[in-house]
Amino acid sequence: MLKKLFRFLLPFLIIFVFVALAGILLSTKQEPEKKQETTVLPVVEVISVEPQTVSLNLPSYGVVQPKHKTQLVTEVQGRILEIAPAFVAGGIVKKGQKLALLEPSDYQADLMQAQAGLAQAKAILDEEIARGEVAKIEFKDFDGGVAPELGLRIPQLKKEQANVKSAQAALSRAQRNLDRTVIRAPFDGIIKARSVDLGQYITVGTKLGELYDIGIAEVRLPLPNKDLAYLESIEKPETTVTLTASLAGKQVSWLGKIVRNENVVDEQNRMVYLVAEVNDPYMQQESDIRKLPLKYGSFVNAVIKGRSVDGIVKLPRYVVRDDSVTIIKDDNTVELRDVNIVRTDVDNVYIKGSLKVGERVSVSSNNSLQNGQQVKVLGEEGPEELIEQVAEDDAAITQSDTKEEQGND
């Protein structure tokens, strides 16, 4: 009987125990920690404005070319008997150096013939002078007054004098033609190309090759017309220019000088060209193992030295958007300010008269900032940290009060 009663009451007893335990748990639970809602502020990085004196250098580019180049052509004809070892593409030659020799025998014969003709003309002239002296004696006692010129052989004398001059000219021409059988370099240069070979018969005007002067190199540098205002002088822009190129796996620089302005706006690209010169590009006069020659045909980047301007603020180019920058005020609010851009280059923007010393400019790429918006400056304790600190203090006070209540219970 008792067992049946126990089996009947057991489920109710279990339910009562669980209800009692649940009531104990509910009476002892702690309230959840209350945190104050925090405001998430945009984080920006800033730099301080520092005006400085800046040389507004002008970037450009160009291809290195010789100042002088010429086509080597023949002034006489004949067969090529000799070619100098230096008369090859890339060969360096000096002014007056022998490059090739043409067959000279015909011109030597012409020279001998001209020499003989001159000697003969001089002999005839001497004979005519003697005849004139005899004629003067014969007409000394002429009763008819002044002796006639023909009788004194004056016209004959003038004729023979002219013949001598003609023979002298023929001799000079024969000598020049003989000299021209030796092809010589007109200036110090580098052989660009050679068009003939040994044994070849050439006529007058045949192209032998092309020679580039190695004394001075030129580079045409394009610039926008408005950038000429940054040069020290527009009409006579004599200023330095630094040329750089990648040679032998390293960056090499050469120093040159702007010598002239072409003063014409190119119809294709609307650019004005300045011409820079570099002396001794192949380093024939001054050798330096630490430098490399500036070879013709090289593509070079150029930096032209411009005017120095005071009060310039230089900022990274990506900081300026639509001619304005983001200023962070002392209270960490945003001001979008239009600025006066003097010029820009590949990396930087140069601003004048728009920013004060010590002002903070945002360099973070955040396009959603608006005037008056509150921000947090990277590296500084801002409102967000203060809010979090207040929340932590409130949570600590709440937890302390709960423990005291439990202790009293």
Side-chain angles (χ1 to χ4, degrees), residues 95-157:
K95 181 179 180 179
Q97 182 176 339
K98 180 180 176 181
L99 302 179
L101 175 65
L102 304 183
E103 172 61 55
S105 56
D106 290 343
Y107 299 100
Q108 289 172 344
D110 291 343
L111 178 62
M112 294 175 63
Q113 185 176 359
Q115 290 172 338
L118 177 59
Q120 184 178 4
K122 286 183 177 181
I124 295 175
L125 176 61
D126 292 340
E127 182 180 351
E128 191 59 44
I129 291 174
R131 288 178 180 176
E133 294 297 329
V134 172
K136 288 180 182 180
I137 295 173
E138 291 177 352
F139 281 93
K140 185 177 181 180
D141 298 327
F142 182 60
D143 295 334
V146 179
E149 289 188 355
L150 184 61
L152 297 177
R153 303 190 65 84
I154 293 177
Q156 292 87 335
L157 177 63

Side-chain angles (χ1 to χ4, degrees), residues 295-316:
K295 297 181 180 179
Y296 294 143
S298 300
F299 180 85
V300 293
N301 292 307
V303 177
I304 304 170
K305 189 177 186 305
R307 292 189 295 112
S308 295
V309 181
D310 298 329
I312 293 294
V313 176
K314 183 171 70 173
L315 296 177

Side-chain angles (χ1 to χ4, degrees), residues 188-209:
D188 295 349
I190 182 172
I191 303 298
K192 174 64 169 59
R194 192 185 77 192
S195 307
V196 295
D197 212 337
L198 193 65
Q200 182 177 345
Y201 186 87
I202 57 177
T203 58
V204 177
T206 300
K207 178 182 175 181
L208 302 178

Side-chain angles (χ1 to χ4, degrees), residues 349-375:
V349 175
Y350 300 89
I351 299 171
K352 182 176 177 62
S354 302
L355 302 173
K356 298 178 182 179
V357 179
E359 284 190 312
R360 299 182 299 176
V361 177
S362 170
V363 294
S364 299
S365 56
N366 194 333
N367 298 325
S368 61
L369 297 180
Q370 298 178 356
N371 275 317
Q373 183 177 353
Q374 190 79 31
V375 297

Side-chain angles (χ1 to χ4, degrees), residues 329-345:
K329 296 182 178 180
D330 294 338
D331 58 355
N332 286 359
T333 57
V334 172
E335 178 190 350
L336 301 180
R337 184 182 301 174
D338 293 335
V339 292
N340 176 33
I341 299 176
V342 176
R343 68 176 300 270
T344 61
D345 57 28

